[in-house]
Amino acid sequence: MAATAAHQFAHCTTCHAWSPDHSMIAFCPNNNEVHIYRLLQEKWEKMHVLQKHDQIVSGIDWSMSSNRIVTVSHDRNSYVWNQEGADWVPTLVILRINRAALCVQWSPRGNKFAVGSGAKTVCICYYEQENNWWVSKLIRKKHDSSVTSVAWHPSNILLATTSTDGKCRIFSTFIKGVDNRSPGAGSSSDAKFGEQIVQLDLSFGWAFGVKWSPSGNTLAYAGHNSVIHFVDEIGPSPSAQTVAFRDLPLRDVLFVSERMVIGVGYDCNPMVFAADERGIWSFIRFLSERKTASSSVKYGSQLSGAFGKLYGQSKYSSGNDTVQVSIPNGNVHENCINCIMPLKKAKDSTAMRFSTSGMDGKVVIWDLDNQLDLSEYV
């Protein structure tokens, strides 16, 4: 197996995010709270509980550049949390939406973040020093249904969204006084705020989990009809490939490298997709399946180092003491995987380690370093 460690943090985990140095994890245990755990002497201990939202927290992101945490909730609110001494202090975000906030992500430079909502609206939020709050500019009347996920282009200007209207869209989010024009956005760098660069109508069902490749040259997103789409040459005439598979749909995706994507969802088992030397994408295999050709070669590695005791409480435990357990045969996750996050430094182009969380309450860390059959795609 590629899974190196897992922890049963809760009965159900809605979403999670890592601190910049990966020593702390923030997650929502399917309620209105955010729990923060720190790794202390090879044991995960609860450090903080962020309590400000009134309903389920649907999105968390931890800025790699500023150490700020942003949370969004079904209560239509968002807060930016700053660590002051031993406490996390919330700052209100003016979203101006009348439906649930569903997803959130910091921009690469950490000077703004995007919030997708059930109000068919995307909020681009930035800080106003004069009033000490975060305000938003809204991208309205572009989506025909709820915005399920958002993804920033490395340029810090372009934003990709997916929606339950089945479409993936790319917008300019340039805000005067906040952003600088960047040649990294290509011909679309001169677009005004909210201008739609392209609309991709490839899915015949709801669309989820959009992500950019490390270079920003390729876009991937999943459809609820068990397909994943790969789009190159973003612009008026994009080049797209669709890979259909016979298994259950995906909910989220992650680029490990320019040529490899991990998809997670209802099959409770991460799926590996990769592009060959011609650029043709295809499904490779499930990540946690075992190699049967040779019993001497094992997928994955033994629990070691700081994560050696990351396996945690039994399913019904409420304490902070960890209990060593083994990965059972078959899937590591026992229910839908709804979130996948990279475990890499900000400047790294590959994410050989990443984590997944799901409705079974587990957070699982995966390591691809020992996956010899996948090394050609990294």
PDB file of all heavy atoms in Angstrom, residues 1-6 269-270 285 287-290 299-304 307 310-311 326-328 330-333 354-356 363-368 370-371:
ATOM      1  N   MET A   1       0.816  -1.200   0.000  1.00  0.00           N
ATOM      2  CA  MET A   1       0.000   0.000   0.000  1.00  0.00           C
ATOM      3  C   MET A   1       0.855   1.257   0.000  1.00  0.00           C
ATOM      4  O   MET A   1       1.964   1.253   0.516  1.00  0.00           O
ATOM      5  CB  MET A   1      -0.907   0.018   1.233  1.00  0.00           C
ATOM      6  CG  MET A   1      -2.089  -0.924   1.157  1.00  0.00           C
ATOM      7  SD  MET A   1      -3.126  -0.660   2.585  1.00  0.00           S
ATOM      8  CE  MET A   1      -4.433  -1.797   2.206  1.00  0.00           C
ATOM      9  N   ALA A   2       0.303   2.327  -0.524  1.00  0.00           N
ATOM     10  CA  ALA A   2       1.001   3.603  -0.508  1.00  0.00           C
ATOM     11  C   ALA A   2       0.695   4.406   0.741  1.00  0.00           C
ATOM     12  O   ALA A   2       1.333   5.402   1.014  1.00  0.00           O
ATOM     13  CB  ALA A   2       0.619   4.421  -1.735  1.00  0.00           C
ATOM     14  N   ALA A   3      -0.320   4.003   1.503  1.00  0.00           N
ATOM     15  CA  ALA A   3      -0.672   4.732   2.713  1.00  0.00           C
ATOM     16  C   ALA A   3       0.362   4.453   3.787  1.00  0.00           C
ATOM     17  O   ALA A   3       0.641   3.300   4.115  1.00  0.00           O
ATOM     18  CB  ALA A   3      -2.054   4.313   3.193  1.00  0.00           C
ATOM     19  N   THR A   4       0.954   5.507   4.342  1.00  0.00           N
ATOM     20  CA  THR A   4       1.960   5.334   5.373  1.00  0.00           C
ATOM     21  C   THR A   4       1.379   5.473   6.768  1.00  0.00           C
ATOM     22  O   THR A   4       1.931   4.927   7.712  1.00  0.00           O
ATOM     23  CB  THR A   4       3.091   6.357   5.211  1.00  0.00           C
ATOM     24  OG1 THR A   4       2.549   7.673   5.303  1.00  0.00           O
ATOM     25  CG2 THR A   4       3.773   6.183   3.866  1.00  0.00           C
ATOM     26  N   ALA A   5       0.299   6.228   6.911  1.00  0.00           N
ATOM     27  CA  ALA A   5      -0.265   6.451   8.233  1.00  0.00           C
ATOM     28  C   ALA A   5      -1.656   7.023   8.119  1.00  0.00           C
ATOM     29  O   ALA A   5      -2.022   7.624   7.116  1.00  0.00           O
ATOM     30  CB  ALA A   5       0.632   7.399   9.037  1.00  0.00           C
ATOM     31  N   ALA A   6      -2.447   6.814   9.158  1.00  0.00           N
ATOM     32  CA  ALA A   6      -3.797   7.352   9.191  1.00  0.00           C
ATOM     33  C   ALA A   6      -4.162   7.671  10.618  1.00  0.00           C
ATOM     34  O   ALA A   6      -3.576   7.126  11.560  1.00  0.00           O
ATOM     35  CB  ALA A   6      -4.799   6.362   8.589  1.00  0.00           C
ATOM     36  N   ASN A 269     -11.061   4.869  -2.445  1.00  0.00           N
ATOM     37  CA  ASN A 269      -9.721   4.421  -2.799  1.00  0.00           C
ATOM     38  C   ASN A 269      -9.154   5.380  -3.848  1.00  0.00           C
ATOM     39  O   ASN A 269      -9.733   5.527  -4.922  1.00  0.00           O
ATOM     40  CB  ASN A 269      -9.800   2.998  -3.363  1.00  0.00           C
ATOM     41  CG  ASN A 269      -8.433   2.324  -3.456  1.00  0.00           C
ATOM     42  OD1 ASN A 269      -7.405   2.982  -3.423  1.00  0.00           O
ATOM     43  ND2 ASN A 269      -8.437   1.010  -3.582  1.00  0.00           N
ATOM     44  N   PRO A 270      -8.051   6.069  -3.552  1.00  0.00           N
ATOM     45  CA  PRO A 270      -7.488   7.013  -4.530  1.00  0.00           C
ATOM     46  C   PRO A 270      -7.172   6.336  -5.864  1.00  0.00           C
ATOM     47  O   PRO A 270      -6.695   5.206  -5.911  1.00  0.00           O
ATOM     48  CB  PRO A 270      -6.207   7.505  -3.844  1.00  0.00           C
ATOM     49  CG  PRO A 270      -6.455   7.308  -2.392  1.00  0.00           C
ATOM     50  CD  PRO A 270      -7.291   6.068  -2.291  1.00  0.00           C
ATOM     51  N   ARG A 285      -4.157   2.866 -12.050  1.00  0.00           N
ATOM     52  CA  ARG A 285      -4.582   1.871 -11.070  1.00  0.00           C
ATOM     53  C   ARG A 285      -5.094   2.565  -9.812  1.00  0.00           C
ATOM     54  O   ARG A 285      -4.954   3.776  -9.648  1.00  0.00           O
ATOM     55  CB  ARG A 285      -3.428   0.941 -10.690  1.00  0.00           C
ATOM     56  CG  ARG A 285      -2.260   1.633  -9.966  1.00  0.00           C
ATOM     57  CD  ARG A 285      -1.265   0.579  -9.506  1.00  0.00           C
ATOM     58  NE  ARG A 285      -0.034   1.136  -8.962  1.00  0.00           N
ATOM     59  CZ  ARG A 285       0.145   1.482  -7.693  1.00  0.00           C
ATOM     60  NH1 ARG A 285      -0.865   1.391  -6.829  1.00  0.00           N
ATOM     61  NH2 ARG A 285       1.320   1.941  -7.274  1.00  0.00           N
ATOM     62  N   LEU A 287      -4.690   3.283  -5.886  1.00  0.00           N
ATOM     63  CA  LEU A 287      -3.443   3.510  -5.164  1.00  0.00           C
ATOM     64  C   LEU A 287      -3.195   2.469  -4.081  1.00  0.00           C
ATOM     65  O   LEU A 287      -2.055   2.098  -3.820  1.00  0.00           O
ATOM     66  CB  LEU A 287      -3.455   4.908  -4.539  1.00  0.00           C
ATOM     67  CG  LEU A 287      -2.117   5.451  -4.055  1.00  0.00           C
ATOM     68  CD1 LEU A 287      -1.084   5.411  -5.154  1.00  0.00           C
ATOM     69  CD2 LEU A 287      -2.281   6.872  -3.540  1.00  0.00           C
ATOM     70  N   SER A 288      -4.247   1.977  -3.439  1.00  0.00           N
ATOM     71  CA  SER A 288      -4.025   1.079  -2.311  1.00  0.00           C
ATOM     72  C   SER A 288      -4.135  -0.392  -2.677  1.00  0.00           C
ATOM     73  O   SER A 288      -4.142  -1.239  -1.809  1.00  0.00           O
ATOM     74  CB  SER A 288      -5.017   1.382  -1.183  1.00  0.00           C
ATOM     75  OG  SER A 288      -6.333   1.080  -1.597  1.00  0.00           O
ATOM     76  N   GLU A 289      -4.220  -0.703  -3.966  1.00  0.00           N
ATOM     77  CA  GLU A 289      -4.249  -2.113  -4.326  1.00  0.00           C
ATOM     78  C   GLU A 289      -2.857  -2.700  -4.216  1.00  0.00           C
ATOM     79  O   GLU A 289      -1.855  -2.025  -4.435  1.00  0.00           O
ATOM     80  CB  GLU A 289      -4.807  -2.311  -5.739  1.00  0.00           C
ATOM     81  CG  GLU A 289      -3.924  -1.744  -6.832  1.00  0.00           C
ATOM     82  CD  GLU A 289      -4.588  -1.836  -8.196  1.00  0.00           C
ATOM     83  OE1 GLU A 289      -5.734  -2.283  -8.258  1.00  0.00           O
ATOM     84  OE2 GLU A 289      -3.952  -1.448  -9.184  1.00  0.00           O
ATOM     85  N   ARG A 290      -2.777  -3.988  -3.902  1.00  0.00           N
ATOM     86  CA  ARG A 290      -1.484  -4.633  -3.710  1.00  0.00           C
ATOM     87  C   ARG A 290      -0.986  -5.269  -5.001  1.00  0.00           C
ATOM     88  O   ARG A 290      -1.772  -5.712  -5.820  1.00  0.00           O
ATOM     89  CB  ARG A 290      -1.577  -5.698  -2.620  1.00  0.00           C
ATOM     90  CG  ARG A 290      -1.878  -5.130  -1.248  1.00  0.00           C
ATOM     91  CD  ARG A 290      -1.923  -6.229  -0.213  1.00  0.00           C
ATOM     92  NE  ARG A 290      -2.226  -5.698   1.099  1.00  0.00           N
ATOM     93  CZ  ARG A 290      -1.316  -5.220   1.936  1.00  0.00           C
ATOM     94  NH1 ARG A 290      -0.059  -5.207   1.590  1.00  0.00           N
ATOM     95  NH2 ARG A 290      -1.661  -4.745   3.121  1.00  0.00           N
ATOM     96  N   TYR A 299       3.962  -2.328  -2.043  1.00  0.00           N
ATOM     97  CA  TYR A 299       3.580  -0.935  -2.249  1.00  0.00           C
ATOM     98  C   TYR A 299       3.580  -0.243  -0.897  1.00  0.00           C
ATOM     99  O   TYR A 299       3.073  -0.773   0.087  1.00  0.00           O
ATOM    100  CB  TYR A 299       2.188  -0.841  -2.864  1.00  0.00           C
ATOM    101  CG  TYR A 299       2.166  -1.160  -4.325  1.00  0.00           C
ATOM    102  CD1 TYR A 299       1.537  -2.300  -4.800  1.00  0.00           C
ATOM    103  CD2 TYR A 299       2.781  -0.311  -5.231  1.00  0.00           C
ATOM    104  CE1 TYR A 299       1.528  -2.594  -6.150  1.00  0.00           C
ATOM    105  CE2 TYR A 299       2.771  -0.585  -6.578  1.00  0.00           C
ATOM    106  CZ  TYR A 299       2.142  -1.734  -7.040  1.00  0.00           C
ATOM    107  OH  TYR A 299       2.133  -2.006  -8.369  1.00  0.00           O
ATOM    108  N   GLY A 300       4.132   0.953  -0.861  1.00  0.00           N
ATOM    109  CA  GLY A 300       4.078   1.716   0.372  1.00  0.00           C
ATOM    110  C   GLY A 300       5.277   1.430   1.260  1.00  0.00           C
ATOM    111  O   GLY A 300       6.158   0.631   0.959  1.00  0.00           O
ATOM    112  N   SER A 301       5.303   2.069   2.393  1.00  0.00           N
ATOM    113  CA  SER A 301       6.413   1.936   3.314  1.00  0.00           C
ATOM    114  C   SER A 301       5.889   1.713   4.718  1.00  0.00           C
ATOM    115  O   SER A 301       4.720   1.929   5.006  1.00  0.00           O
ATOM    116  CB  SER A 301       7.280   3.207   3.280  1.00  0.00           C
ATOM    117  OG  SER A 301       6.508   4.321   3.630  1.00  0.00           O
ATOM    118  N   GLN A 302       6.784   1.291   5.597  1.00  0.00           N
ATOM    119  CA  GLN A 302       6.401   1.086   6.990  1.00  0.00           C
ATOM    120  C   GLN A 302       6.219   2.438   7.673  1.00  0.00           C
ATOM    121  O   GLN A 302       6.751   3.464   7.251  1.00  0.00           O
ATOM    122  CB  GLN A 302       7.494   0.286   7.707  1.00  0.00           C
ATOM    123  CG  GLN A 302       7.723  -1.093   7.114  1.00  0.00           C
ATOM    124  CD  GLN A 302       6.506  -1.982   7.261  1.00  0.00           C
ATOM    125  OE1 GLN A 302       5.848  -1.950   8.290  1.00  0.00           O
ATOM    126  NE2 GLN A 302       6.204  -2.751   6.236  1.00  0.00           N
ATOM    127  N   LEU A 303       5.444   2.425   8.740  1.00  0.00           N
ATOM    128  CA  LEU A 303       5.282   3.650   9.514  1.00  0.00           C
ATOM    129  C   LEU A 303       6.632   4.034  10.096  1.00  0.00           C
ATOM    130  O   LEU A 303       7.317   3.215  10.694  1.00  0.00           O
ATOM    131  CB  LEU A 303       4.282   3.424  10.642  1.00  0.00           C
ATOM    132  CG  LEU A 303       2.888   3.002  10.200  1.00  0.00           C
ATOM    133  CD1 LEU A 303       2.004   2.797  11.419  1.00  0.00           C
ATOM    134  CD2 LEU A 303       2.284   4.042   9.289  1.00  0.00           C
ATOM    135  N   SER A 304       7.012   5.288   9.905  1.00  0.00           N
ATOM    136  CA  SER A 304       8.330   5.698  10.366  1.00  0.00           C
ATOM    137  C   SER A 304       8.351   7.181  10.650  1.00  0.00           C
ATOM    138  O   SER A 304       7.453   7.916  10.271  1.00  0.00           O
ATOM    139  CB  SER A 304       9.384   5.360   9.312  1.00  0.00           C
ATOM    140  OG  SER A 304       9.098   6.039   8.113  1.00  0.00           O
ATOM    141  N   PHE A 307       5.586  10.459  11.596  1.00  0.00           N
ATOM    142  CA  PHE A 307       4.241   9.947  11.404  1.00  0.00           C
ATOM    143  C   PHE A 307       4.134   8.481  11.813  1.00  0.00           C
ATOM    144  O   PHE A 307       3.156   7.829  11.508  1.00  0.00           O
ATOM    145  CB  PHE A 307       3.821  10.112   9.940  1.00  0.00           C
ATOM    146  CG  PHE A 307       3.764  11.541   9.522  1.00  0.00           C
ATOM    147  CD1 PHE A 307       4.795  12.111   8.784  1.00  0.00           C
ATOM    148  CD2 PHE A 307       2.705  12.346   9.888  1.00  0.00           C
ATOM    149  CE1 PHE A 307       4.754  13.433   8.407  1.00  0.00           C
ATOM    150  CE2 PHE A 307       2.654  13.670   9.524  1.00  0.00           C
ATOM    151  CZ  PHE A 307       3.685  14.220   8.778  1.00  0.00           C
ATOM    152  N   LEU A 310       1.009   8.005  13.824  1.00  0.00           N
ATOM    153  CA  LEU A 310      -0.110   8.849  13.428  1.00  0.00           C
ATOM    154  C   LEU A 310      -1.436   8.098  13.499  1.00  0.00           C
ATOM    155  O   LEU A 310      -2.478   8.699  13.589  1.00  0.00           O
ATOM    156  CB  LEU A 310       0.104   9.382  12.014  1.00  0.00           C
ATOM    157  CG  LEU A 310      -0.874  10.456  11.543  1.00  0.00           C
ATOM    158  CD1 LEU A 310      -0.843  11.642  12.483  1.00  0.00           C
ATOM    159  CD2 LEU A 310      -0.531  10.904  10.151  1.00  0.00           C
ATOM    160  N   TYR A 311      -1.377   6.770  13.457  1.00  0.00           N
ATOM    161  CA  TYR A 311      -2.605   6.014  13.662  1.00  0.00           C
ATOM    162  C   TYR A 311      -3.149   6.379  15.025  1.00  0.00           C
ATOM    163  O   TYR A 311      -2.442   6.355  16.013  1.00  0.00           O
ATOM    164  CB  TYR A 311      -2.341   4.509  13.598  1.00  0.00           C
ATOM    165  CG  TYR A 311      -2.516   3.990  12.226  1.00  0.00           C
ATOM    166  CD1 TYR A 311      -1.428   3.751  11.412  1.00  0.00           C
ATOM    167  CD2 TYR A 311      -3.793   3.781  11.719  1.00  0.00           C
ATOM    168  CE1 TYR A 311      -1.597   3.290  10.133  1.00  0.00           C
ATOM    169  CE2 TYR A 311      -3.955   3.320  10.435  1.00  0.00           C
ATOM    170  CZ  TYR A 311      -2.862   3.077   9.650  1.00  0.00           C
ATOM    171  OH  TYR A 311      -3.033   2.627   8.373  1.00  0.00           O
ATOM    172  N   SER A 326      -3.099  -1.299  12.747  1.00  0.00           N
ATOM    173  CA  SER A 326      -2.558  -1.647  11.438  1.00  0.00           C
ATOM    174  C   SER A 326      -3.553  -1.304  10.354  1.00  0.00           C
ATOM    175  O   SER A 326      -4.755  -1.199  10.604  1.00  0.00           O
ATOM    176  CB  SER A 326      -2.245  -3.144  11.379  1.00  0.00           C
ATOM    177  OG  SER A 326      -3.434  -3.885  11.585  1.00  0.00           O
ATOM    178  N   ILE A 327      -3.049  -1.101   9.131  1.00  0.00           N
ATOM    179  CA  ILE A 327      -3.915  -0.858   7.994  1.00  0.00           C
ATOM    180  C   ILE A 327      -4.578  -2.164   7.602  1.00  0.00           C
ATOM    181  O   ILE A 327      -3.897  -3.157   7.363  1.00  0.00           O
ATOM    182  CB  ILE A 327      -3.112  -0.291   6.808  1.00  0.00           C
ATOM    183  CG1 ILE A 327      -2.480   1.055   7.191  1.00  0.00           C
ATOM    184  CG2 ILE A 327      -4.001  -0.122   5.593  1.00  0.00           C
ATOM    185  CD1 ILE A 327      -1.604   1.627   6.111  1.00  0.00           C
ATOM    186  N   PRO A 328      -5.903  -2.212   7.554  1.00  0.00           N
ATOM    187  CA  PRO A 328      -6.568  -3.467   7.197  1.00  0.00           C
ATOM    188  C   PRO A 328      -6.386  -3.776   5.721  1.00  0.00           C
ATOM    189  O   PRO A 328      -6.026  -2.921   4.925  1.00  0.00           O
ATOM    190  CB  PRO A 328      -8.039  -3.171   7.521  1.00  0.00           C
ATOM    191  CG  PRO A 328      -8.158  -1.692   7.343  1.00  0.00           C
ATOM    192  CD  PRO A 328      -6.842  -1.120   7.779  1.00  0.00           C
ATOM    193  N   GLY A 330      -7.457  -4.328   1.965  1.00  0.00           N
ATOM    194  CA  GLY A 330      -8.460  -3.607   1.201  1.00  0.00           C
ATOM    195  C   GLY A 330      -8.261  -2.113   1.329  1.00  0.00           C
ATOM    196  O   GLY A 330      -7.152  -1.620   1.500  1.00  0.00           O
ATOM    197  N   ASN A 331      -9.341  -1.358   1.242  1.00  0.00           N
ATOM    198  CA  ASN A 331      -9.271   0.093   1.268  1.00  0.00           C
ATOM    199  C   ASN A 331      -8.870   0.614   2.641  1.00  0.00           C
ATOM    200  O   ASN A 331      -9.318   0.096   3.671  1.00  0.00           O
ATOM    201  CB  ASN A 331     -10.619   0.689   0.879  1.00  0.00           C
ATOM    202  CG  ASN A 331     -10.976   0.404  -0.561  1.00  0.00           C
ATOM    203  OD1 ASN A 331     -10.118   0.033  -1.358  1.00  0.00           O
ATOM    204  ND2 ASN A 331     -12.238   0.576  -0.906  1.00  0.00           N
ATOM    205  N   VAL A 332      -8.069   1.671   2.655  1.00  0.00           N
ATOM    206  CA  VAL A 332      -7.726   2.331   3.903  1.00  0.00           C
ATOM    207  C   VAL A 332      -8.916   3.130   4.400  1.00  0.00           C
ATOM    208  O   VAL A 332      -9.278   3.083   5.580  1.00  0.00           O
ATOM    209  CB  VAL A 332      -6.500   3.238   3.710  1.00  0.00           C
ATOM    210  CG1 VAL A 332      -6.118   3.901   5.022  1.00  0.00           C
ATOM    211  CG2 VAL A 332      -5.338   2.439   3.157  1.00  0.00           C
ATOM    212  N   HIS A 333      -9.559   3.876   3.499  1.00  0.00           N
ATOM    213  CA  HIS A 333     -10.778   4.590   3.851  1.00  0.00           C
ATOM    214  C   HIS A 333     -11.969   3.643   3.785  1.00  0.00           C
ATOM    215  O   HIS A 333     -12.023   2.729   2.953  1.00  0.00           O
ATOM    216  CB  HIS A 333     -11.006   5.767   2.896  1.00  0.00           C
ATOM    217  CG  HIS A 333     -10.187   6.980   3.228  1.00  0.00           C
ATOM    218  ND1 HIS A 333     -10.470   7.815   4.285  1.00  0.00           N
ATOM    219  CD2 HIS A 333      -9.080   7.499   2.627  1.00  0.00           C
ATOM    220  CE1 HIS A 333      -9.584   8.796   4.322  1.00  0.00           C
ATOM    221  NE2 HIS A 333      -8.721   8.627   3.327  1.00  0.00           N
ATOM    222  N   PHE A 354       0.872  13.315   0.207  1.00  0.00           N
ATOM    223  CA  PHE A 354      -0.381  14.053   0.290  1.00  0.00           C
ATOM    224  C   PHE A 354      -1.282  13.356   1.292  1.00  0.00           C
ATOM    225  O   PHE A 354      -0.996  12.235   1.762  1.00  0.00           O
ATOM    226  CB  PHE A 354      -1.057  14.157  -1.081  1.00  0.00           C
ATOM    227  CG  PHE A 354      -1.293  12.837  -1.758  1.00  0.00           C
ATOM    228  CD1 PHE A 354      -2.464  12.121  -1.543  1.00  0.00           C
ATOM    229  CD2 PHE A 354      -0.337  12.308  -2.615  1.00  0.00           C
ATOM    230  CE1 PHE A 354      -2.677  10.900  -2.152  1.00  0.00           C
ATOM    231  CE2 PHE A 354      -0.542  11.087  -3.243  1.00  0.00           C
ATOM    232  CZ  PHE A 354      -1.716  10.379  -3.005  1.00  0.00           C
ATOM    233  N   SER A 355      -2.365  14.010   1.661  1.00  0.00           N
ATOM    234  CA  SER A 355      -3.292  13.456   2.648  1.00  0.00           C
ATOM    235  C   SER A 355      -4.701  13.481   2.101  1.00  0.00           C
ATOM    236  O   SER A 355      -5.047  14.322   1.268  1.00  0.00           O
ATOM    237  CB  SER A 355      -3.219  14.244   3.959  1.00  0.00           C
ATOM    238  OG  SER A 355      -3.577  15.603   3.744  1.00  0.00           O
ATOM    239  N   THR A 356      -5.505  12.546   2.589  1.00  0.00           N
ATOM    240  CA  THR A 356      -6.918  12.476   2.218  1.00  0.00           C
ATOM    241  C   THR A 356      -7.751  12.396   3.484  1.00  0.00           C
ATOM    242  O   THR A 356      -7.312  11.851   4.505  1.00  0.00           O
ATOM    243  CB  THR A 356      -7.211  11.250   1.343  1.00  0.00           C
ATOM    244  OG1 THR A 356      -6.806  10.059   2.046  1.00  0.00           O
ATOM    245  CG2 THR A 356      -6.456  11.322   0.023  1.00  0.00           C
ATOM    246  N   VAL A 363      -8.005  10.736   8.529  1.00  0.00           N
ATOM    247  CA  VAL A 363      -7.059  11.491   7.709  1.00  0.00           C
ATOM    248  C   VAL A 363      -5.897  10.550   7.426  1.00  0.00           C
ATOM    249  O   VAL A 363      -5.259  10.051   8.349  1.00  0.00           O
ATOM    250  CB  VAL A 363      -6.569  12.761   8.415  1.00  0.00           C
ATOM    251  CG1 VAL A 363      -5.506  13.452   7.583  1.00  0.00           C
ATOM    252  CG2 VAL A 363      -7.729  13.716   8.685  1.00  0.00           C
ATOM    253  N   VAL A 364      -5.661  10.272   6.144  1.00  0.00           N
ATOM    254  CA  VAL A 364      -4.652   9.295   5.738  1.00  0.00           C
ATOM    255  C   VAL A 364      -3.532  10.009   4.990  1.00  0.00           C
ATOM    256  O   VAL A 364      -3.794  10.839   4.114  1.00  0.00           O
ATOM    257  CB  VAL A 364      -5.262   8.196   4.842  1.00  0.00           C
ATOM    258  CG1 VAL A 364      -4.198   7.179   4.435  1.00  0.00           C
ATOM    259  CG2 VAL A 364      -6.421   7.506   5.557  1.00  0.00           C
ATOM    260  N   ILE A 365      -2.301   9.697   5.330  1.00  0.00           N
ATOM    261  CA  ILE A 365      -1.132  10.241   4.639  1.00  0.00           C
ATOM    262  C   ILE A 365      -0.604   9.187   3.677  1.00  0.00           C
ATOM    263  O   ILE A 365      -0.419   8.026   4.045  1.00  0.00           O
ATOM    264  CB  ILE A 365      -0.043  10.665   5.635  1.00  0.00           C
ATOM    265  CG1 ILE A 365      -0.532  11.847   6.475  1.00  0.00           C
ATOM    266  CG2 ILE A 365       1.249  11.038   4.903  1.00  0.00           C
ATOM    267  CD1 ILE A 365       0.430  12.271   7.551  1.00  0.00           C
ATOM    268  N   TRP A 366      -0.374   9.620   2.433  1.00  0.00           N
ATOM    269  CA  TRP A 366       0.088   8.719   1.374  1.00  0.00           C
ATOM    270  C   TRP A 366       1.473   9.157   0.914  1.00  0.00           C
ATOM    271  O   TRP A 366       1.758  10.353   0.839  1.00  0.00           O
ATOM    272  CB  TRP A 366      -0.875   8.748   0.186  1.00  0.00           C
ATOM    273  CG  TRP A 366      -2.289   8.438   0.539  1.00  0.00           C
ATOM    274  CD1 TRP A 366      -3.209   9.284   1.092  1.00  0.00           C
ATOM    275  CD2 TRP A 366      -2.961   7.190   0.368  1.00  0.00           C
ATOM    276  NE1 TRP A 366      -4.412   8.643   1.266  1.00  0.00           N
ATOM    277  CE2 TRP A 366      -4.290   7.357   0.833  1.00  0.00           C
ATOM    278  CE3 TRP A 366      -2.572   5.950  -0.145  1.00  0.00           C
ATOM    279  CZ2 TRP A 366      -5.229   6.328   0.803  1.00  0.00           C
ATOM    280  CZ3 TRP A 366      -3.507   4.931  -0.173  1.00  0.00           C
ATOM    281  CH2 TRP A 366      -4.811   5.118   0.301  1.00  0.00           C
ATOM    282  N   ASP A 367       2.312   8.198   0.586  1.00  0.00           N
ATOM    283  CA  ASP A 367       3.676   8.469   0.142  1.00  0.00           C
ATOM    284  C   ASP A 367       3.935   7.690  -1.147  1.00  0.00           C
ATOM    285  O   ASP A 367       3.780   6.466  -1.183  1.00  0.00           O
ATOM    286  CB  ASP A 367       4.673   8.045   1.217  1.00  0.00           C
ATOM    287  CG  ASP A 367       6.068   8.596   0.969  1.00  0.00           C
ATOM    288  OD1 ASP A 367       6.364   8.934  -0.194  1.00  0.00           O
ATOM    289  OD2 ASP A 367       6.858   8.681   1.921  1.00  0.00           O
ATOM    290  N   LEU A 368       4.308   8.392  -2.209  1.00  0.00           N
ATOM    291  CA  LEU A 368       4.535   7.765  -3.501  1.00  0.00           C
ATOM    292  C   LEU A 368       6.001   7.462  -3.781  1.00  0.00           C
ATOM    293  O   LEU A 368       6.335   6.982  -4.862  1.00  0.00           O
ATOM    294  CB  LEU A 368       3.988   8.661  -4.625  1.00  0.00           C
ATOM    295  CG  LEU A 368       2.490   8.955  -4.584  1.00  0.00           C
ATOM    296  CD1 LEU A 368       2.107   9.811  -5.778  1.00  0.00           C
ATOM    297  CD2 LEU A 368       1.676   7.677  -4.550  1.00  0.00           C
ATOM    298  N   ASN A 370       7.930   5.163  -2.843  1.00  0.00           N
ATOM    299  CA  ASN A 370       8.237   3.745  -3.076  1.00  0.00           C
ATOM    300  C   ASN A 370       7.374   3.119  -4.163  1.00  0.00           C
ATOM    301  O   ASN A 370       7.398   1.909  -4.339  1.00  0.00           O
ATOM    302  CB  ASN A 370       8.066   2.950  -1.768  1.00  0.00           C
ATOM    303  CG  ASN A 370       9.090   3.345  -0.735  1.00  0.00           C
ATOM    304  OD1 ASN A 370      10.190   3.746  -1.059  1.00  0.00           O
ATOM    305  ND2 ASN A 370       8.722   3.217   0.537  1.00  0.00           N
ATOM    306  N   GLN A 371       6.612   3.932  -4.858  1.00  0.00           N
ATOM    307  CA  GLN A 371       5.759   3.408  -5.923  1.00  0.00           C
ATOM    308  C   GLN A 371       6.554   3.370  -7.224  1.00  0.00           C
ATOM    309  O   GLN A 371       6.497   4.287  -8.051  1.00  0.00           O
ATOM    310  CB  GLN A 371       4.517   4.291  -6.064  1.00  0.00           C
ATOM    311  CG  GLN A 371       3.768   4.500  -4.763  1.00  0.00           C
ATOM    312  CD  GLN A 371       3.189   3.208  -4.221  1.00  0.00           C
ATOM    313  OE1 GLN A 371       2.340   2.602  -4.840  1.00  0.00           O
ATOM    314  NE2 GLN A 371       3.655   2.797  -3.058  1.00  0.00           N
TER     315      GLN A 371
END
